[in-house]
Amino acid sequence: MRSLTSAGKAEDIMQETELKLELSRSGAAALLKKNPFESPPTILQQKSIYFDTPKWDLFKRGVSLRIRQSGNERIQTVKTGDGNAAGAFAREEWEQPVTGDGPVLDDPQIRALLAGAGPDLAPMFAVHVKRHRWNVTEGDATVEVVVDFGNVVAADREAPLCEVEFESKAGSPAALFALAREVDRTTPVHLGVLSKAERGYRLLGPASGAVKSSTTPLTPDMTAAAAFERIAAACLRQFRLNEIALGWSRDAEVLHQARVALRRLRALFSISKPLFQDSRFDHLREELRWLAGETGDARDIDVMIDRARGEELSDRLQGPRDAAYGALESALSSARARSLMIDAAEWISTEGWQSDRSGEALWEAPAKEFASTVFDELWKKVAKGGRNLIDADDETRHKVRIAAKKLRYAAEFFAPLYTGKTEAKRHRRFVTAMESLQDQLGSLNDLATTPDMLAALGLSDVAGAADLFRADDKEKLLHDAAEAHDTFVDTKRFWR
C-alpha cells in the first residue's frame, strides 16, 4: 500500500492481497453472533463515494478512485487491479487523507495514473456500510478481517451488500483461505469476485445477465505457469459471475455461460496436466467434473425446449426443467461446491502446486512454446480422429468433439501470444473453422443423446418428440460435419 505524507509525496508502495467472500444478511448476523475471531470487533460506519468520468474512463482502465468517510476522517484511495482475477488477488493501492468530498490530485504519479481524467471526474455512486473489523493471527500470518453489510446506491437504484474480506498484513496468503474455511463452517459463504466499485458500475448499467468469456491478457515473456494462473482465474471469475446471476434468474443463457466457464476451466486443466504432478490438481479436476455434471440435466432440457417444434412437448418439459434447476441450485449452494471454489481459488492464486517441484522445468517454459506443443497434439487428434466422420460410430465422433473443443478453447486462451499480422489473420480463420466443426459435432451429439433423455423423462411418445432426432437431420449433419472437418484440416495453423 502506498502511503502519502501531508505534503502528498509517495513514501513507499506495497500490494494489497485480499480474498473476498459473499454471504447473506442472515449469514452475516450468524457470523457476528458466533464471532470465531476470539476478540470483539472494531465497529465503524463508513460512506464511500466513487468517482469517474461520464464515459467511465477509469473503470475501462481497471482503476478505481474513492473517498471514504469514517467519522470525521476522510481517506482518498486509488486502486488498480486485474479485472480477470478471482480468489486472492493483489492490487496496487495509493492512499492519502483529504479534507473534503472532492478528489485531491496533487501527486504527479496519481495524475499520470488517471491519464488526464481529473477535470472530468464526478461522483458516480456511493457505498454505505457498517464495518466490523478484526486483526487475526493465523499461524505466523496476520490478517485483517472485515465484515461489511450495507447498500450500494447509484442514481435511483440500490442494491444490498454483504461480504467478508480478508487482507494479508504479514505472512503467507494461505492464511486467508484457512480463515475463509473457518468462516464457511460457521455460515455458508461463496467466493466473491465483485469489488465494491464493480457493484456500483453494475447498478449504473443495464441489468446483469449472462457473462461471456473474454480475452485474458497474456504477454510474450510469460511462463507457462503464469499463463495458466491468469487463464484459470478468468475462467473461475466467469463461472462465479454467472452463478451469481443464476441466483435470481433461471435463464437458459446464464446457465449456458456458467457451463462454458466450467468447460473452459476443465479444458485448461486437461491441457495443462503435464505441468503438474500434484494430488490436489487431480482432486480439483474430479470436483470440476462433478460440478459440470450437476449442470447437465438443466442445460440438456433447455436445449430440447429450444428445439421443440410443438407446444405439447415444450409444455411437458417445463416440469422437468423446474426440477433440474432446483437440483442445480441445491448443488451450487452445497458445502461441496462452496469448498471447490475456495480450494480452486487458493490453488490457482497462491501457486499451490509449487509444493511439488517435479514440474518446475515446464512451469518456467515460455507460454508460447507450451501452447504450440498443446496445439500440435490436439490438432493431430482432431485431424486423425475425424477422417471418416460419416461412417464413424457415435462414441468416436464424441471423442473427436471433445478434442475439438479443447483445441478451440486452447486457441482462444493463448490468442494474445500470437499477435503478428500473419499469425492473427491465421488465428481468426482457424478459430472460425473450429467453431463450425464444433457446432456440427455438437448437434450430432445432441441427436445421439436426446432419445435416452426423452425416455428417462417418460416423454418419448409425446407429440413432437421424434422431431428432435430425425434420421434425415442426422444425414445432413454428418455431411456438414465431414465438410467442416475437411475445411479444418485445410486451414493453415497459426502457431507454425
Side-chain angles (χ1 to χ4, degrees):
M1 183 180 298
R2 174 174 291 180
S3 61
L4 301 180
T5 67
S6 58
K9 301 300 182 181
E11 290 186 322
D12 58 274
I13 184 169
M14 292 175 62
Q15 282 193 325
E16 174 191 58
T17 303
E18 63 180 38
L19 171 69
K20 190 187 299 289
L21 304 175
E22 297 181 356
L23 71 169
S24 65
R25 286 185 178 270
S26 60
L31 178 62
L32 293 173
K33 182 178 181 180
K34 186 169 183 180
N35 187 10
F37 305 119
E38 299 181 352
S39 64
T42 300
I43 301 175
L44 304 168
Q45 291 286 350
Q46 295 182 336
K47 174 185 177 181
S48 299
I49 301 174
Y50 287 77
F51 295 83
D52 206 336
T53 69
K55 294 183 178 181
W56 296 11
D57 291 304
L58 301 190
F59 176 74
K60 292 173 184 176
R61 294 201 297 268
V63 177
S64 70
L65 168 60
R66 74 168 187 241
I67 294 178
R68 173 173 289 167
Q69 180 179 357
S70 182
N72 294 323
E73 182 184 52
R74 288 177 173 84
I75 299 293
Q76 175 180 288
T77 304
V78 179
K79 291 185 181 183
T80 62
D82 182 0
N84 290 305
F89 51 94
R91 301 185 294 181
E92 288 190 350
E93 177 178 313
W94 293 259
E95 285 190 346
Q96 69 181 97
V98 294
T99 58
D101 290 331
V104 176
L105 308 179
D106 56 359
D107 182 85
Q109 292 175 318
I110 295 297
R111 289 199 299 270
L113 187 65
L114 301 185
D120 297 323
L121 292 175
M124 302 298 288
F125 51 87
V127 179
H128 304 262
V129 299
K130 184 176 184 180
R131 167 163 289 189
H132 296 70
R133 184 175 65 198
W134 298 260
N135 282 318
V136 179
T137 299
E138 177 71 20
D140 62 352
T142 301
V143 179
E144 180 183 84
V145 181
V146 299
V147 176
D148 285 340
F149 58 92
N151 297 282
V152 183
V153 181
D156 60 346
R157 296 182 180 180
E158 185 173 321
L161 168 71
C162 198
E163 59 188 24
V164 187
E165 291 183 0
F166 308 87
E167 183 179 345
S168 179
K169 296 298 185 180
S172 170
L176 305 181
F177 294 91
L179 287 170
R181 293 184 181 92
E182 184 175 351
V183 169
D184 189 56
R185 287 191 290 269
T186 301
T187 188
V189 291
H190 294 268
L191 182 68
V193 292
L194 287 172
S195 67
K196 292 181 175 68
E198 287 176 307
R199 293 177 184 276
Y201 285 107
R202 283 189 153 211
L203 279 184
L204 291 171
S208 301
V211 178
K212 295 184 177 182
S213 61
S214 57
T215 301
T216 304
L218 303 178
T219 58
D221 61 343
M222 192 169 281
T223 65
F228 171 86
E229 282 185 75
R230 276 185 172 262
I231 298 166
C235 293
L236 203 60
R237 176 179 169 84
Q238 183 196 1
F239 172 74
R240 278 291 296 132
L241 289 174
N242 285 290
E243 183 186 10
I244 291 168
L246 281 173
W248 62 73
S249 172
R250 290 181 171 181
D251 183 275
E253 182 59 19
V254 172
L255 173 58
H256 174 56
Q257 291 303 326
R259 272 179 66 81
V260 167
L262 288 176
R263 286 205 306 258
R264 286 168 61 86
L265 187 55
R266 292 181 64 209
L268 177 66
F269 269 58
S270 178
I271 65 178
S272 301
K273 184 172 175 58
L275 296 175
F276 308 115
Q277 302 297 322
D278 185 327
S279 61
R280 289 167 297 175
F281 174 82
D282 295 331
H283 171 72
L284 288 173
R285 285 188 70 189
E286 287 302 310
E287 289 299 277
L288 288 169
R289 180 180 180 181
W290 161 75
L291 187 58
E294 293 297 306
T295 68
D297 287 349
R299 176 58 185 167
D300 289 341
I301 294 172
D302 279 338
V303 171
M304 286 192 289
I305 290 174
D306 184 60
R307 292 174 53 211
R309 301 176 186 178
E311 289 188 7
E312 182 179 357
L313 178 59
S314 180
D315 290 344
R316 293 282 297 275
L317 284 168
Q318 293 301 323
R321 181 182 191 270
D322 289 342
Y325 269 87
L328 173 58
E329 289 162 5
S330 296
L332 292 176
S333 64
S334 69
R336 183 177 181 180
R338 299 195 312 270
S339 295
L340 169 57
M341 290 296 105
I342 294 174
D343 290 348
E346 179 181 25
W347 195 81
I348 293 165
S349 60
T350 64
E351 301 178 347
W353 61 83
Q354 295 208 20
S355 60
D356 183 338
R357 312 301 297 181
S358 58
E360 188 169 5
L362 284 175
W363 305 338
E364 299 302 323
K368 193 170 183 177
E369 178 183 308
F370 172 74
S372 294
T373 300
V374 168
F375 295 146
D376 281 335
E377 292 178 358
L378 290 173
W379 189 91
K380 290 176 184 177
K381 285 185 178 181
V382 178
K384 182 178 179 180
R387 286 174 181 168
N388 191 15
L389 285 176
I390 292 178
D391 296 326
D393 56 29
D394 291 335
E395 181 61 26
T396 297
R397 284 192 292 268
H398 175 67
K399 290 179 180 179
V400 177
R401 182 177 72 90
I402 296 302
K405 188 181 299 182
K406 291 179 182 179
L407 179 55
R408 177 188 165 188
Y409 287 153
E412 292 174 348
F413 292 152
F414 298 108
L417 301 178
Y418 299 86
T419 56
K421 186 175 181 180
T422 300
E423 286 179 331
K425 184 183 294 186
R426 288 183 177 179
H427 182 274
R428 287 192 296 270
R429 291 174 178 171
F430 187 85
V431 169
T432 298
M434 288 300 311
E435 288 174 343
S436 177
L437 176 59
Q438 191 177 337
D439 286 346
Q440 301 303 330
L441 292 173
S443 295
L444 283 167
N445 186 68
D446 289 341
L447 285 181
T449 57
T450 295
D452 289 340
M453 289 189 291
L454 288 170
L457 296 172
L459 300 177
S460 299
D461 297 328
V462 174
D467 292 335
L468 297 182
F469 51 93
R470 295 188 306 178
D472 53 344
D473 287 344
K474 183 172 184 178
E475 191 70 22
K476 182 179 184 304
L477 283 172
L478 284 170
H479 283 88
D480 289 346
E483 184 177 339
H485 184 266
D486 290 342
T487 300
F488 157 76
V489 172
D490 292 338
T491 300
K492 290 185 177 180
R493 285 166 266 182
F494 63 90
W495 64 94
R496 284 183 170 270

